[in-house]
Amino acid sequence: MPLIPSHLIPTGLIHHIRRLSIGLAGALLAIDLTAMLYGVFMRYIAGGAPIWTDELARFLIIGCVMLAMGTVWVEGRHMRVALIERLLPQSLLTLLLWYQWLLTLVLAVGGAWFSYHYAQSVAMFTSQGLGISRSIPVMSVPIGFSLLALMVICHGPRALPTLEESAVEANTGSTDRNVAEDDRP
Amino acid sequence: MTIFITLFFLMIILGAPIVFAMGVSGVAYITMEGIPISIVSQRLFSGLDSFTIMAIPFFVFAGLIMERGGIARRMIDFATALVGWVRGSLLHVSVVAGTGLAAISGSGSADTAATASLMLPEMRNRRYDIDFAAGLMAAAGSLGPVIPPSIMMIVLAAVGGLSVGDVFIAGVVPGLLMAMGLLIAAYIHARVHGGTYSQVSRFSFKQLALTAFRAIPAFLMPIIIVGGIIGGVFTPTEAASVAVAVGLIVGLFVYRELKWKELPTLVLRAAAISASVMMIIAASSIFSWLIARENIPQQLVVFLQSITDNPLIFLALINATLLVVGMFLESIAAILILVPVLMPVVESYGLDPLHVGVIIIINLSVGMVTPPYGITLFVASSIAERPVIKVASKAMLPLAFMIAVLLIATYVPSLVTTLPELVRNQ
């Protein structure tokens, strides 16, 4: 079952960035699951779980979420109210799409910039369990925003699928975006 | 603060994702107040740095494994043996199967998709009213958040400072009452529309025992998750990870319907779905920090107390507000925005936060079946290949029963709170 409807898959660079980001996010989720199960196993079989498993699991989840952020945006999985887009005439809709695109771009670039500086500012602190610099897990935030910014630039001010379309696609495999509105006898 | 709230709602109306609306309005407010902008990055990170919240991706993953691993079909076979002899048999089967799946995946849209895709072809053959059937399955799918384990309940517990185990147990009785309500709605529809629904299978205890035996691995899931959490064996996050492991064993080696080559796709889907939910959690931590900083809950307490000091009227106001909010806002977003504001108000009226928490969940699950943004309604309509508006109009009878249960749960708090108290006192 595809992650995204075939007619919505962007070509070229954005497609590769999407595959890279969601691939890395998926890998982090799989490692996270392994770490959690290892912790449970060690606690009940070996009599005590290592202190680092909980912390590693938390950091991996944050990394997973941040890396997947751009993919989620491209696939239209971010929750939003898309009612106005259905009501506007084409000229105003184009204007609205430009506004949404610029807003996302500013947010992504700003997020990457400020979170990078925040990550640098916590470099001297070390985490309790893993004993690594706090800036290592926090760097997932600027990396995630940077990937989002790249995807936004590549995607351009085009319409995104709505959450309903994503849900229908994910759960049915249907690629007909209008099947729900299609007035069949 | 007015600018902050105005900007937030304006951006939502203009189609910005809720997560961005929270972020941008938060940043605008922080900049205007002269607060260091680094607070945004700090809150984003710390909003996700929670062990309880970490359970969400694993529950999502477990749900996806359940759907692909042949468990839905076993659940439907069991439901057929259990209620297939009642008039309107397939309607009852879809409700019972939906309830069973709700106890496994905790995702309304996934439950709806699994039930509808397996049940609708046979319903068409028997000339059932497909619009009603799809509406009923959308309603049954919306039990996912009410019956534990539930992603929405985990978010509620994390945001509202409640015990995950308590919230899980508190949802059991209302969830089962809602399922019973849907069965009654199905029976009424079948009686009124006569002959079409008279074709039923004969009850066989042998068949019931056989299908129950085949479904044992499916029944293990809620026992492991909920039992493990309540019994203090696992934390919610550990229980969810163990559920994934059990789901993989069942799907790959017991039912053998899940293929190794499908696992990467499931992992990627779990990552994408989880990220969409958890990004909102991250952004809402900025939002809730600002709400707390501005003393909005306290101001709301004063405002509401000036309107009424009667807790029953306050509960009616909550229900009315949430039913409307649930029609337009996605459930988890609604919880993250409203719960930090509502919980201090709830306590000021001397109400039990656990009771009100479950009422919030029920309200928002009703919202999953109502247009214009009912997610289970969209999924059911799509699989049925019927217009959303026609399915929604036929879903009114099931919805009426869901709202009746909501009102009972609202004004008979013991339905919600007794079971958690009993378990706590064990």
Side-chain angles (χ1 to χ4, degrees), chain B residues 47-67:
Chain B
L48 293 175
D49 194 9
S50 153
F51 199 69
T52 307
I53 291 294
M54 263 183 59
I56 292 169
F58 298 135
F59 276 121
V60 169
F61 194 15
L64 292 174
I65 291 164
M66 293 297 105
E67 309 308 332

Side-chain angles (χ1 to χ4, degrees), chain A residues 14 29 46 51 57 60 62 66 86 91-92 95 113 122-123 130-131 133 139 143 145 149 151 157 162 170 173 178:
Chain A
I14 192 171
L29 181 60
I51 191 171
L60 286 169
I62 294 166
M66 289 299 164
R86 295 168 190 170
S91 55
L92 284 175
L95 201 66
W113 174 261
V122 295
L130 293 165
S133 168
M139 274 303 289
I143 291 168
F145 274 118
M151 287 196 205
T162 62
N178 299 313

Side-chain angles (χ1 to χ4, degrees), chain A residues 76-139:
Chain A
R77 285 185 190 272
H78 276 309
M79 295 146 192
R80 65 194 185 96
V81 177
L83 189 64
I84 197 164
E85 292 168 28
R86 295 168 190 170
L87 304 174
L88 287 177
Q90 190 57 49
S91 55
L92 284 175
L93 180 61
T94 307
L95 201 66
L96 181 69
L97 291 174
W98 270 95
Y99 149 77
Q100 288 176 354
W101 181 73
L102 283 168
L103 175 79
T104 311
L105 184 60
V106 168
L107 194 74
V109 172
W113 174 261
F114 288 112
S115 56
Y116 174 76
H117 284 286
Y118 172 67
Q120 296 307 306
S121 73
V122 295
M124 72 286 291
F125 300 106
T126 52
S127 66
Q128 286 179 321
L130 293 165
I132 56 169
S133 168
R134 286 282 293 178
S135 66
I136 294 171
V138 176
M139 274 303 289

Side-chain angles (χ1 to χ4, degrees), chain B residues 122-393:
Chain B
E122 183 57 25
M123 286 178 169
R124 274 206 171 85
N125 291 345
R126 294 197 196 178
R127 300 196 179 284
Y128 276 32
D129 179 340
I130 294 301
D131 291 338
F132 178 82
L136 184 72
M137 280 185 267
S142 75
L143 298 179
V146 186
I147 294 174
S150 150
I151 292 166
M152 218 191 283
M153 284 179 171
I154 290 168
V155 175
L156 175 84
V159 177
L162 301 166
S163 151
V164 175
D166 282 356
V167 181
F168 274 9
I169 306 160
V172 171
V173 175
L176 293 176
L177 281 176
M178 285 168 89
M180 282 173 64
L182 295 181
L183 287 171
I184 295 166
Y187 187 74
I188 290 168
H189 178 82
R191 290 299 297 183
V192 169
H193 292 84
T196 317
Y197 298 97
S198 57
Q199 187 185 338
V200 294
S201 55
R202 285 180 60 194
F203 179 78
S204 157
F205 189 80
K206 183 185 171 186
Q207 187 64 16
L208 181 65
L210 183 67
T211 54
F213 176 74
R214 285 177 184 157
I216 283 171
F219 295 134
L220 274 177
M221 298 302 299
I223 293 166
I224 288 167
I225 297 168
V226 182
I229 293 168
I230 294 162
V233 180
F234 307 123
T235 65
T237 307
E238 288 171 343
S241 66
V242 170
V244 172
V246 172
L248 286 171
I249 292 163
V250 169
L252 290 166
F253 306 115
V254 180
Y255 293 154
R256 295 182 182 178
E257 288 196 22
L258 186 64
K259 304 288 179 279
W260 284 100
K261 64 181 179 185
E262 291 176 303
L263 287 183
T265 308
L266 292 182
V267 173
L268 297 185
R269 275 185 66 199
I273 295 165
S274 306
S276 70
V277 172
M278 293 181 76
M279 273 309 299
I280 287 203
I281 293 169
S284 75
S285 67
I286 304 165
F287 206 76
S288 53
W289 180 79
L290 294 176
I291 282 167
R293 190 178 184 273
E294 285 291 318
N295 283 327
I296 287 177
Q298 288 73 14
Q299 290 171 34
L300 192 64
V301 168
V302 172
F303 171 68
L304 285 170
Q305 295 275 14
S306 70
I307 295 172
T308 178
D309 55 3
N310 187 333
L312 299 181
I313 296 171
F314 169 68
L315 285 171
L317 282 171
I318 282 187
N319 280 339
T321 306
L322 285 168
L323 284 171
V324 174
V325 166
M327 288 171 72
F328 294 96
L329 254 190
E330 204 282 332
S331 311
I332 286 168
I335 287 172
L336 291 163
I337 293 164
L338 294 173
V339 169
V341 179
L342 279 177
M343 279 310 178
V345 185
V346 165
E347 284 161 16
S348 78
Y349 278 95
L351 295 165
D352 186 342
L354 181 64
H355 172 226
V356 177
V358 172
I359 289 169
I360 291 168
I361 298 272
I362 298 170
N363 268 295
L364 296 174
S365 74
V366 170
M368 295 171 83
V369 199
T370 52
Y373 292 101
I375 207 77
T376 60
L377 193 66
F378 271 94
V379 172
S381 304
S382 177
I383 294 170
E385 296 183 339
R386 297 294 298 151
V388 170
I389 203 73
K390 289 189 177 174
V391 174
S393 66

